[in-house]
Amino acid sequence: KILNLFMVLMILFQSVYILRQNKEVINNWKVVMHKPIDEPTFAQFYAKPLFKEIESYINKPKNSYRVGSLVLNPAVASFNGFYCIDGYQNSYSVQYKHAFREIIAKELDADKVSRDYFDYWGSRCYLISSEFNRTGKINYLNYNFSAYKKLGGEYLLSSYEISKADSCGLKFEKSFSDNIYYTIYLYKVK
C-alpha cells in the first residue's frame, strides 16, 4: 500500500510539474482567472494589417519575390501570403537544406548552439544571427547574400534593426509598426 501511495504521489507531482511548465496551460488558466497573459493574441501574432502595409510598400505581386524572416517566425510572413525562403517544414529536400545553410554558414560558425540546432533539427530552416540578444539590434549580419538570392530571396523582414545593414549587403527600406507587438524592419538584398 505504501508503494501504491508513493506511485500516486509521484504521478500527481509530475503532472503538476509538467502542467506548470506548459505556456498554453498557464495562459489558459490566466484567462479563466481574468488575468493578463504575456503572449500576443492570434490577431496580434499574425498582424494582418501590418503585413498589408509591407505588401503595399513593396508593390509587386507576392509570387514574384521571396522573403526571409529574422527574429520573426517565418509562419507570420507565410500566413500573410508572402513566399518565404525559410520556415518550419515537415518535408523538404536535403539539397535545399544545404543551399539554405550556405546563407547562414558564417553565423553558424560563430555560435555552436545555433549550428547544432540547425544541423541536427531537420525541419527548421530559420535565419539566425550569432548576435541575437534582447537589445533589439543586430550590429552586423554575416550572411552569404549570393546564396540568399539563388533561393529567390529579395527581401529580409526583421523584428530587429540591423545597424550596419549597408555594409553587409542589405539596403534598409522602411520600418513598419503596429504599436502593439511588432516593429518590422524591411531590407532589400543588394
Side-chain angles (χ1 to χ4, degrees), residues 24-141:
E24 287 79 18
V25 170
I26 291 168
N27 286 334
N28 285 337
W29 181 250
K30 286 179 179 180
V31 168
V32 167
M33 300 302 293
H34 304 288
K35 298 192 182 250
I37 59 174
D38 303 327
E39 300 291 320
T41 65
F42 182 89
Q44 290 169 335
F45 182 75
Y46 285 109
K48 285 182 98 167
L50 185 66
F51 279 81
K52 274 286 187 206
E53 282 183 52
I54 296 169
E55 177 186 353
S56 294
Y57 178 83
I58 294 173
N59 197 27
K60 295 191 313 191
K62 286 194 259 186
N63 65 356
S64 69
Y65 61 91
R66 305 287 181 266
V67 300
S69 301
L70 180 63
V71 197
L72 171 70
N73 192 319
V76 176
S78 182
F79 177 86
N80 284 288
F82 288 86
Y83 289 77
C84 303
I85 66 165
D86 52 348
Y88 186 87
Q89 303 294 326
N90 62 351
S91 179
Y92 65 96
S93 72
V94 73
Q95 291 85 1
Y96 191 86
K97 182 175 180 90
H98 293 307
F100 188 87
R101 192 185 195 289
E102 285 181 41
I103 297 168
I104 58 175
K106 290 181 182 174
E107 292 287 345
L108 293 175
D109 290 344
D111 181 18
K112 182 186 180 337
V113 172
S114 293
R115 183 176 59 245
D116 288 349
Y117 179 79
F118 180 82
D119 288 343
Y120 301 116
W121 190 270
S123 55
R124 292 188 177 151
C125 269
Y126 286 177
L127 296 172
I128 58 99
S129 168
S130 59
E131 291 185 32
F132 175 75
N133 56 41
R134 303 256 177 232
T135 65
K137 282 193 177 185
I138 293 172
N139 190 38
Y140 184 82
L141 198 56

Side-chain angles (χ1 to χ4, degrees), residues 60 64-69 83-86 96 100 103 127 144-157 169-170 187-190:
K60 295 191 313 191
S64 69
Y65 61 91
R66 305 287 181 266
V67 300
S69 301
Y83 289 77
C84 303
I85 66 165
D86 52 348
Y96 191 86
F100 188 87
I103 297 168
L127 296 172
N144 177 343
F145 283 109
S146 294
Y148 193 93
K149 285 181 178 181
K150 281 183 189 173
L151 292 181
E154 189 173 340
Y155 292 96
L156 178 71
L157 305 169
L170 294 169
Y187 298 91
K188 185 166 177 46
V189 179
K190 293 185 200 175

